[in-house]
Amino acid sequence: MEKSELNVVLGANGNVGSYIVKELLARGKNVRIVSRSGNSNFGTSVKAVKGDAFDLESLKAAVRGATTIYHCIGLPYQDFPKLEIIMDNVIRAAASQGNETKVVYADNMYAYGEYNVIKGPLKEDLPHLAEGKKGKIRSRIEVNLLNAHKEEKIRATIGKGSDFFGPGAKNSMLGMYLFEKLNNGKDVNLIGNLDKRHSFIYLPDFGKGLVTLGENENAFGKTWHLPHVSSVTVREFAEMVLKEANTESKKVKSMPKFMLLIGSLFIKTAREFREVAYQWESDFVVDSSKFTSTFDVQPTDPEVAIQQTVEWHLKNN
C-alpha cells in the first residue's frame, strides 16, 4: 500500500457501505468514513469525520486527500431527487482533489426500466428506458458521473447490484419481508409473482465487488454488474431460507396486490414503490458475466450466503 493512498467511504454506516469498509480493512487499506454525525461503527482502525454531502464545501473538506471515493449514499424513495444534488457534489469534491481521483459508485438497476426487465436478462450495454421518475433520476446520475470521467474531471466506475441480502441487512426487501420474519411464527408474505426468477446479490459480494472495481485500472469509465447469486424463483429462494432456519412449516405467500394499492394511499414508501413493482412481477435476471470473467471473481455459494444470513438474523431479531 502506498503511503499516500486514502480510501474515503460515503454512506459507510449503510448496508453496502459497511461491507465496503470491511473489505478495504481486510485488504489492509487506509480508510476514512464520512457522515453527518462523524461517528464510526468500525472502532479505532477507521478514521471518521463529519461531512455533509449536501454542502459542497463540507464534502470537499471531508474527502481531502482521497485517492478513491466510494459513494454509496442512499435516500428514501420520496427523497430520490436529492440524489442528483449529492452526485453533483461528489463529482465536484472529487475533482477538487485532482483529475486522477477515483469515484466508485454503488448503483441499482432502476435505469433500465420495465421493458428491459421483461425482455431480459439485464446487461450493461442496454439503453436506459425507465419511464418512472426514480429510474430517470438514476439514469441521469449514471450519465453525469461517466461524463465527468470522459471529460477527464475525475476517474469513475459504477458497480450495480439488485436486491441484496446478508448479515445486518434489515432494511432491504428480503430483510424486511423474509429474514426478519423467521422468528415470528407466522407465514411469509412477499410482494409480487413468487414463481418468477429473480437475481439477488449477497452484501459481502456487493462490497467486495466495488472494492475490486476501485483497485483495477480497466474498470474505470464503465458500468459493471457485480456478482449475483444464480437466479431462482422468489418462492424457491424463500423456501431455501425457511429450510435453513428449520421453519419449513411456514408457508410462502404472495401479498395481494390490493394491499399494496391500499398501502400506497397512506404510506409514502408504499406509494413510491409502485413505480418499481414491475421488478417483482416479471423475471428479473441480472447478467454479471462481464464482471466475473474480467476479474475472475464468482459470487458466494447461495447455500453459504443464506446460512450466514439466517444465522445472523436468528441471533439479532
Side-chain angles (χ1 to χ4, degrees), residues 147-301:
N147 280 344
H149 175 92
K150 291 175 184 176
E151 294 164 7
E152 299 185 349
K153 295 178 180 178
I154 58 170
R155 302 176 65 208
T157 183
I158 298 171
K160 289 177 175 278
S162 66
D163 300 279
F164 57 77
F165 70 100
K170 287 191 171 186
N171 63 344
S172 67
M173 189 70 69
L174 290 176
M176 291 186 294
Y177 291 100
L178 178 56
F179 289 100
E180 289 234 318
K181 307 298 182 183
L182 295 177
N183 278 333
N184 67 4
K186 298 179 181 178
D187 291 333
V188 172
N189 289 282
L190 300 174
I191 292 171
N193 186 333
L194 305 186
D195 297 308
K196 295 294 184 179
R197 294 170 65 205
H198 202 99
S199 292
F200 300 107
I201 185 168
Y202 185 47
L203 265 177
D205 292 342
F206 210 147
K208 182 179 180 179
L210 290 165
V211 174
T212 297
L213 292 180
E215 297 190 345
N216 281 275
E217 296 301 317
N218 62 343
F220 288 86
K222 304 170 186 175
T223 295
W224 303 83
H225 291 169
L226 303 177
H228 288 65
V229 298
S230 300
S231 298
V232 295
T233 68
V234 177
R235 188 186 305 279
E236 288 170 337
F237 184 90
E239 288 174 347
M240 289 171 67
V241 171
L242 296 181
K243 181 179 179 180
E244 177 62 36
N246 293 317
T247 54
E248 298 103 311
S249 59
K250 287 175 177 280
K251 294 181 180 179
V252 182
K253 301 178 180 179
S254 178
M255 189 180 299
K257 290 183 179 180
F258 75 84
M259 289 181 65
L260 180 60
L261 179 61
I262 293 173
S264 68
L265 298 176
F266 305 99
I267 305 171
K268 283 186 178 180
T269 301
R271 183 160 59 247
E272 294 287 345
F273 175 76
R274 289 180 64 192
E275 178 192 318
V276 293
Y278 64 84
Q279 296 183 353
W280 297 88
E281 296 294 343
S282 306
D283 284 333
F284 185 85
V285 179
V286 176
D287 183 342
S288 50
S289 60
K290 185 176 85 166
F291 183 100
T292 57
S293 61
T294 300
F295 302 112
D296 193 24
V297 175
Q298 298 299 319
T300 301
D301 181 279

Side-chain angles (χ1 to χ4, degrees), residues 8-165:
V8 176
V9 183
L10 309 177
N13 292 324
N15 288 298
V16 177
S18 64
Y19 278 93
I20 293 174
V21 174
K22 292 173 184 177
E23 182 62 27
L24 288 168
L25 292 176
R27 299 188 187 198
K29 301 299 180 178
N30 186 17
V31 183
R32 178 195 299 164
I33 67 172
V34 179
S35 67
R36 284 182 173 179
S37 67
N39 295 330
S40 170
N41 297 325
F42 304 97
T44 57
S45 57
V46 173
K47 182 178 180 180
V49 301
K50 287 186 178 182
D52 186 349
F54 290 108
D55 183 328
L56 179 57
E57 295 307 314
S58 171
L59 189 59
K60 282 182 179 180
V63 303
R64 187 166 292 127
T67 49
T68 305
I69 299 171
Y70 290 90
H71 170 21
C72 49
I73 297 173
L75 294 176
Y77 281 147
Q78 58 269 26
D79 293 330
F80 254 45
K82 296 178 182 178
L83 289 172
E84 293 188 80
I85 299 172
I86 293 175
M87 180 57 83
D88 185 58
N89 284 342
V90 169
I91 292 170
R92 290 170 181 249
S96 73
Q97 303 299 304
N99 63 2
E100 288 298 309
T101 307
K102 302 174 184 178
V103 175
V104 181
Y105 177 48
D107 197 8
N108 62 24
M109 307 288 169
Y110 289 179
Y112 294 124
E114 184 174 6
Y115 174 79
N116 281 322
V117 167
I118 293 173
K119 186 178 179 182
L122 296 176
K123 297 183 178 183
E124 292 92 337
D125 59 358
L126 290 172
H128 292 179
L129 300 178
E131 297 180 350
K133 64 179 182 179
K134 282 178 282 298
K136 289 180 178 179
I137 288 168
R138 285 289 190 179
S139 176
R140 289 195 296 268
I141 289 172
E142 180 176 340
V143 170
N144 288 345
L145 181 59
L146 293 180
N147 280 344
H149 175 92
K150 291 175 184 176
E151 294 164 7
E152 299 185 349
K153 295 178 180 178
I154 58 170
R155 302 176 65 208
T157 183
I158 298 171
K160 289 177 175 278
S162 66
D163 300 279
F164 57 77
F165 70 100

